[in-house]
């Protein structure tokens, strides 16, 4: 593929764009600045809520003149333009009945469950150490409510079960059996189970975005490290896995970086395929 063919760069955040301290390193920032200057649209594609991705977009000045960008949040549940007005370009919400059903399931399993509002992360168990990891990653406050199912009277793109990694396989299996054919459940880390609408994935929302832009998958490069990145890496014209990616993710990639997320793996890919 000619380098000039890549018009959109989709980047997972945690374990990909940011290092383990959740920072963008200078070399990676310089590579993204150069790609933006060439007219490439940067899409921050994350499982985080929109509010948890927004500070990264602001740090990169996405949406400023000459710096086209978008936020793909909730693993593809929503895409928001970073430009003026922050237009919602795509969204898919959980069926309303799933909110109390998921809360009931979490209570039966004695695990924490969270969702989001415009201020932060909403949960009945803000002291849960695994839930607090979501707060740390997103740099959002934990908001305690007495009854999460009753509190959520607005559309949500996803809910997140947080739990001890030792319990995850059992709880995920039970959830898959209970909610089969209703929603999608999958593990996005050793201590998180994502609950999203059926069919929500990064590739599907990226396809919708490319269609709006009059582009195709051949114009897309996607970089990631986690299992929830496989669909966009498989879909992209150039799919890139970080050196620190899980084995099945690397198997989907056209290119695996020699450097991990702590050593400018994204910069390596951008320099090779775009600059």
């Amino acid at each position: 593929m000619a380098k000039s063919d890549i018009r959109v760069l989709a980047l997972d955040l945690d374990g990909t764009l940011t290092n383990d301290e959740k920072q963008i390193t200078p070399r990676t920032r310089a590579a993204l600045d150069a790609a933006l200057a060439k007219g490439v649209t940067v899409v921050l594609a994350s499982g985080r809520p929109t509010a948890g991705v927004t500070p990264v977009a602001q740090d990169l000045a996405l949406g400023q003149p000459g710096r086209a960008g978008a936020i793909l949040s909730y693993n593809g549940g929503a895409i928001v333009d970073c430009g003026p007005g922050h237009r919602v370009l795509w969204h898919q919400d959980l069926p309303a009945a799933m909110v109390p059903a998921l809360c009931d399931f979490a209570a039966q399993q004695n695990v924490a469950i969270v969702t989001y509002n415009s201020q932060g992360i909403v949960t009945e168990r803000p002291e849960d150490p695994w839930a607090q990891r979501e707060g740390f990653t997103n740099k959002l406050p934990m908001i305690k409510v007495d009854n999460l199912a009753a509190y959520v009277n607005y559309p949500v793109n996803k809910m997140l079960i947080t739990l001890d990694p030792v319990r995850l396989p059992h709880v995920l299996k039970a959830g898959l059996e209970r909610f089969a054919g209703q929603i999608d459940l999958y593990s996005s880390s050793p201590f998180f189970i994502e609950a999203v609408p059926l069919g929500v994935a990064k590739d599907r929302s990226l396809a919708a975005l490319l269609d709006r832009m009059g582009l195709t998958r051949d114009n897309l490069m996607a970089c990631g490290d986690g299992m929830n990145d496989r669909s966009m890496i498989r879909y992209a014209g150039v799919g890139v896995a970080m050196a620190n990616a899980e084995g099945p993710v690397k198997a989907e990639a056209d290119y695996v970086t020699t450097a991990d997320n702590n050593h400018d793996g994204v910069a390596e890919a951008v320099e090779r395929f775009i600059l």
Side-chain angles (χ1 to χ4, degrees):
M1 170 180 290
K3 294 180 181 180
S4 60
D5 288 344
I6 296 174
R7 303 276 301 282
V8 178
L9 172 61
L11 299 169
D12 172 59
L13 299 191
D14 304 301
T16 302
L17 175 61
T18 61
N19 62 17
D20 290 350
E21 283 69 51
K22 309 301 180 186
Q23 299 168 338
I24 301 172
T25 55
R27 178 183 165 195
T28 294
R29 181 181 298 274
L32 294 182
D33 286 342
L36 286 160
K38 289 189 65 171
V40 172
T41 297
V42 172
V43 180
L44 302 179
S46 177
R48 297 187 192 185
T50 304
V53 184
T54 299
V56 182
Q58 293 172 335
D59 188 32
L60 290 171
L62 296 183
Q64 298 299 312
R67 299 178 72 86
I71 292 171
L72 184 161
S73 51
Y74 304 109
N75 280 319
I79 298 183
V80 178
D81 181 34
C82 291
H86 301 287
R87 290 176 303 138
V88 176
L89 306 178
W90 162 269
H91 74 94
Q92 189 171 351
D93 303 324
L94 275 172
M98 285 296 102
V99 175
L102 282 161
C103 290
D104 178 66
F105 173 75
Q108 289 178 357
Q109 296 291 331
N110 192 25
V111 294
I113 187 167
V114 312
T115 192
Y116 313 88
N117 65 15
S118 58
Q119 285 77 46
I121 297 167
V122 187
T123 181
E124 296 173 10
R125 299 187 182 191
E127 73 288 343
D128 179 79
W130 312 106
Q132 288 178 2
R133 293 195 178 210
E134 178 72 346
F136 169 76
T137 295
N138 290 284
K139 297 181 174 59
L140 292 173
M142 307 295 291
I143 300 168
K144 178 176 173 58
V145 296
D146 293 331
N147 185 327
L148 185 60
Y151 177 86
V152 178
N153 61 355
Y154 53 89
V156 296
N157 300 101
K158 82 167 186 177
M159 300 189 80
L160 184 73
I161 293 169
T162 69
L163 71 174
D164 188 316
V166 173
R167 296 202 56 213
L168 188 144
H170 169 77
V171 174
L172 178 58
K173 181 175 183 292
L176 289 170
E177 291 173 355
R178 174 162 173 176
F179 298 108
Q182 301 177 74
I183 57 174
D184 283 338
L185 287 176
Y186 56 87
S187 171
S188 60
S189 85
F191 36 82
F192 290 159
I193 297 173
E194 310 264 344
V196 300
L198 278 175
V200 161
K202 293 183 180 182
D203 63 333
R204 182 180 178 187
S205 51
L206 284 168
L209 178 63
L210 290 169
D211 186 61
R212 286 182 66 105
M213 298 174 70
L215 302 174
T216 72
R217 58 193 292 181
D218 291 332
N219 302 119
L220 172 68
M221 182 167 96
C223 303
D225 74 300
M227 299 296 280
N228 59 328
D229 298 320
R230 287 183 300 169
S231 69
M232 73 171 182
I233 289 173
R234 183 189 314 121
Y235 172 75
V238 177
V240 177
M242 296 295 102
N244 52 288
E246 299 177 58
V249 182
K250 292 179 178 179
E252 300 283 3
D254 301 301
Y255 179 75
V256 178
T257 62
T258 60
D260 63 18
N261 65 303
N262 289 313
H263 299 90
D264 300 300
V266 164
E268 176 188 326
V270 172
E271 290 162 1
R272 179 183 180 99
F273 294 103
I274 296 177
L275 302 182

